[in-house]
Amino acid sequence: MTANRTRGRLAALLLAVVTPLVAEFTLGNPPLRMAWILLLWIPIYGAGTVLIRELVRRAGTGWTGVLLLGAAYGIVEEGLALQALSSPTMYGAAGWAPRILGLNSAYAELQIPYHAVFSAVIPILLTDLVFPSLRDRPYLGRLGVWSAGVVFVLGALLLRVTVVTSIDPGYQAPTAVLVGCAVAVALLTFAGLRLRLPRSASSVEPPRPVVAGVLGGVVVFGYLALLFPFGGATQPFFTHGGWVVVPMVAAAVLAVGAGWTLRRWTAGDPWTAGHGLALATGALVAHTAFGLVSNADTTTDRLSLAAVGVVMVALLALLGRRVKTGGVPSGVGGSL
């Protein structure tokens, strides 16, 4: 029992550290020369994802629960802590697309699913692959869960009084927006802890893991490229005016199509840990590749991010070797 508790704490610690690395560092945000900023993000990212996993594991709602609570996390960070979902100046996001109900619509479409995948699903999947024997159980006891919750709230406040005061001083979201975000978080959390989707009635034989990896890469790069202005663009995918609705709809169709495909692939037993790791690897490689295109402003930053990408791929390859040699049960990376 003591050994399991120790391993659980180690797994929770790994998850807490991996999450901001996956969500921010491997995207080149921040660049390697400013890596110390990760210290500001570990409390909210790390504790937030640990909390998500602990709650979902106890509720038994699987990847559906992780996705929904990951989306709730995204609203907490972007809507309540940073308040970037409604800020008229932060990141220039207000100019990406028409604002809807006081929200930066394209930014919201980009960031909320992004956090669900890169701040929740992928870090949890990778940590489960590292600690496969703990896959079906919580990492922490009740005190650990409450502690993660407290650190998460303090982490959100830390972002509010540090990052926001430096890049968007003086802005305070309207009360209606804050209430709306809080309600959305409550609804997503409730659904994430209650909703148990039945297995897909129509499963298909999943392709080879490499195909799953290619799908993950194409979908992630395509989704980011459709919604995040890059290469000097001021609106998504180099559009102007009302034409921004085209990439926004295309991104939504791409995400829904990928979700539908993955639901069918993962419905049967042939989906393995190798498939899950390949899918995550493709997504992460595309994620870093897009960072090279969009976030790296100087040659030094590009070389640094490329080096981060090489290290990331090497670590994923080591994990893949462990999966292939039987160090990870075949079900890990499938249903949670």
Side-chain angles (χ1 to χ4, degrees), residues 113 168 217 221:
D168 197 20
F221 195 94

Side-chain angles (χ1 to χ4, degrees), residues 222-286:
Y223 193 83
L224 295 175
L226 284 167
L227 291 175
F228 186 83
F230 64 96
T234 57
Q235 288 192 177
F237 212 63
F238 304 95
T239 54
H240 297 279
W243 284 103
V244 71
V245 70
V246 175
M248 290 178 70
V249 170
V253 170
L254 181 64
V256 171
W260 178 80
T261 300
L262 287 175
R263 180 163 165 75
R264 297 186 71 200
W265 282 356
T266 59
D269 293 332
W271 183 266
T272 67
H275 286 92
L277 179 59
L279 184 67
T281 298
L284 286 167
V285 169

Side-chain angles (χ1 to χ4, degrees), residues 63-64 67 117 121-122 125 197-220 253-272 274-280 282-283 333-335:
W63 290 117
T64 301
L67 281 167
V117 173
V121 170
I122 290 179
L125 186 148
L197 293 180
R199 275 180 170 251
S200 174
S202 176
S203 64
V204 297
E205 185 81 13
R208 292 180 300 161
V210 67
V211 177
V214 170
L215 174 72
V218 169
V219 170
V220 166
V253 170
L254 181 64
V256 171
W260 178 80
T261 300
L262 287 175
R263 180 163 165 75
R264 297 186 71 200
W265 282 356
T266 59
D269 293 332
W271 183 266
T272 67
H275 286 92
L277 179 59
L279 184 67
S335 300

